[in-house]
Amino acid sequence: MSSYIIVGAGVFGTSTAYHLKKQFPSASIILIDRTDPPCPIAASHDIDKIVRADYEDIFYCALGLKTLQKWKTDTFFKEWFHPTGLLTVTNGDSHLIEDILENLKKLDAKSETEFFTPNQISAKFDGIFSDMRLRPDDKLLLNKSAGIAEAEKALGATIQACLGLGVRYVAAPVSRLLIEHGACYGVKTEDGRTFSASNIILSTGAGTAKLVADSAPQQPELQVGERIIARAVCCAAVKLNEQQVEIFENVPAVARFAGGNHGETMPPVDGLLKFLSDVSFKNTVYHHQSHQQISVPLTDKAKSQWTSPGTIPPALEQELDKVMKSLYGYKANGLKPTTMRICW
């Protein structure tokens, strides 16, 4: 009987466990993460995420098309998908939109896309974007095939489905991988337990470089290096009243790469309007055992999550306010983040 250990119960790890167990019902599968599910500091423990195929890299474009098809048609997943569309905004000299369209054409994708000028977008969606502060040559592409997924709800339901199928969940931080003769045969948790399997799958995202460095510091050939670099963005949610929900509920998701404030926003879910700053940063430290610089995610909730307005660092709040104004202009006046987090 085949056996698997999947480290990380975010969207990648949980989805892997779910589909493996569906395909191989007799397989032994252990899903391990730091806390009881879902892990509150995981990137996928979020209000919502944009689901798109709008990428300049054709590999990701192809994956996005498959993903969209799954979200739209699978009876298990489609409950949490909303076909909002995606508005991509770029500078006039950017080739991002042209690359996206070329990829969709090469993949023979049946996407509903529409170009807009800055003047034209002002009249769409009841004028919600009339104060977006765009330059005359900026480009806008609306892809009606994209949408948003309720991330936290979908992740929680998928974990419960895994448990129902017989996947074993272990809530414990993994301290290191067990490696012998060049092969990984298991993991050790911080509480001293060890688990072994014939297949070890790392779905550890931003924590991958540190986990590998901790596990095999004297084996440079195993180090992650430049292949995976932990980066983070700041995102926030604004609690809307009923009148504000009516203003924002029928707009598409937006990804803005024009001007000085790059960011994204999604239509409200459960009265929460999400924004994120699309400027990433690293947390680089020196790893003494492996003699290398690596970026590691912050795992202290007090330094990466703020759940009430009075606790949010002013500098981060100001950064998100600039993003909100760049997306909605004066219509963002009075919107104050209710919660904020650093997403790795």
Side-chain angles (χ1 to χ4, degrees):
M1 180 177 68
S2 57
S3 58
Y4 299 85
I5 290 174
I6 301 168
V7 185
V11 61
F12 286 99
T14 301
S15 178
T16 300
Y18 176 77
H19 290 288
L20 273 175
K21 196 63 176 176
K22 294 273 283 189
Q23 188 171 355
F24 306 108
S26 63
S28 169
I29 300 176
I30 299 176
L31 185 60
I32 303 181
D33 211 329
R34 291 162 285 192
T35 67
D36 291 328
C39 180
I41 61 174
S44 46
H45 187 266
D46 203 350
I47 303 165
D48 49 15
K49 299 285 189 183
I50 299 175
V51 185
R52 68 183 108 180
D54 301 61
Y55 294 101
E56 58 186 332
D57 187 316
I58 196 167
F59 175 77
Y60 283 101
C61 184
L63 282 181
L65 290 170
K66 293 179 180 179
T67 302
L68 278 165
Q69 181 68 12
K70 196 77 172 177
W71 280 105
K72 291 177 180 180
T73 61
D74 190 286
T75 54
F76 180 74
F77 293 107
K78 68 180 183 181
E79 176 183 351
W80 298 284
F81 180 77
H82 305 278
T84 61
L86 171 65
L87 181 68
T88 300
V89 186
T90 72
N91 292 323
D93 57 358
S94 169
H95 297 287
L96 173 61
I97 287 178
E98 288 79 2
D99 291 341
I100 290 170
L101 292 174
E102 181 64 22
N103 287 339
L104 293 173
K105 182 180 178 181
K106 288 178 180 178
L107 295 168
D108 195 28
K110 297 176 175 60
S111 296
E112 300 177 65
T113 57
E114 185 176 359
F115 269 114
F116 291 99
T117 65
N119 285 336
Q120 290 170 333
I121 202 65
S122 297
K124 294 286 289 185
F125 307 106
D126 296 324
I128 191 71
F129 301 121
S130 61
D131 192 30
M132 225 179 174
R133 304 173 190 181
L134 299 172
R135 295 179 300 188
D137 64 338
D138 285 341
K139 304 171 186 176
L140 301 98
L141 177 72
L142 177 65
N143 189 339
K144 297 178 183 178
S145 302
I148 62 172
E150 297 183 53
E152 182 180 343
K153 293 178 183 178
L155 177 62
T158 308
I159 291 175
Q160 291 305 313
C162 286
L163 299 179
L165 292 169
V167 173
R168 179 187 174 191
Y169 189 97
V170 174
V174 171
S175 60
R176 65 185 181 93
L177 307 173
L178 301 177
I179 300 171
E180 191 173 78
H181 305 303
C184 181
Y185 65 90
V187 301
K188 184 175 183 178
T189 56
E190 288 185 359
D191 57 14
R193 288 179 290 170
T194 60
F195 302 86
S196 59
S198 54
N199 301 279
I200 312 299
I201 300 173
L202 298 186
S203 296
T204 41
T208 304
K210 185 176 186 302
L211 178 58
V212 173
D214 288 343
S215 305
Q218 305 306 318
Q219 295 179 263
E221 71 279 7
L222 295 182
Q223 303 308 310
V224 171
E226 297 293 315
R227 292 175 293 169
I228 303 176
I229 299 175
R231 291 184 178 272
V233 296
C234 188
C235 54
V238 178
K239 182 64 177 177
L240 304 179
N241 58 38
E242 291 184 8
Q243 183 179 3
Q244 290 170 326
V245 168
E246 291 180 3
I247 294 173
F248 293 101
E249 65 182 349
N250 294 317
V251 300
V254 184
R256 175 170 180 156
F257 306 105
N261 300 109
H262 295 187
E264 298 179 2
T265 185
M266 285 129 258
V269 170
D270 296 333
L272 292 171
L273 183 65
K274 177 185 167 184
F275 294 88
L276 67 87
S277 171
D278 215 6
V279 178
S280 65
F281 55 90
K282 299 184 292 183
N283 178 42
T284 303
V285 300
Y286 183 71
H287 192 269
H288 292 276
Q289 291 85 357
S290 61
H291 309 291
Q292 62 176 321
Q293 299 273 357
I294 57 175
S295 178
V296 299
L298 298 171
T299 56
D300 184 350
K301 287 179 62 177
K303 296 179 180 179
S304 59
Q305 294 187 34
W306 301 274
T307 56
S308 60
T311 64
I312 297 173
L316 294 182
E317 188 169 0
Q318 292 170 12
E319 179 67 25
L320 264 297
D321 185 68
K322 292 177 183 178
V323 172
M324 289 190 288
K325 295 288 175 55
S326 74
L327 293 164
Y328 290 125
Y330 70 88
K331 295 180 179 64
N333 290 343
L335 297 182
K336 294 292 183 181
T338 310
T339 62
M340 189 174 292
R341 69 193 293 250
I342 294 175
C343 182
W344 289 89

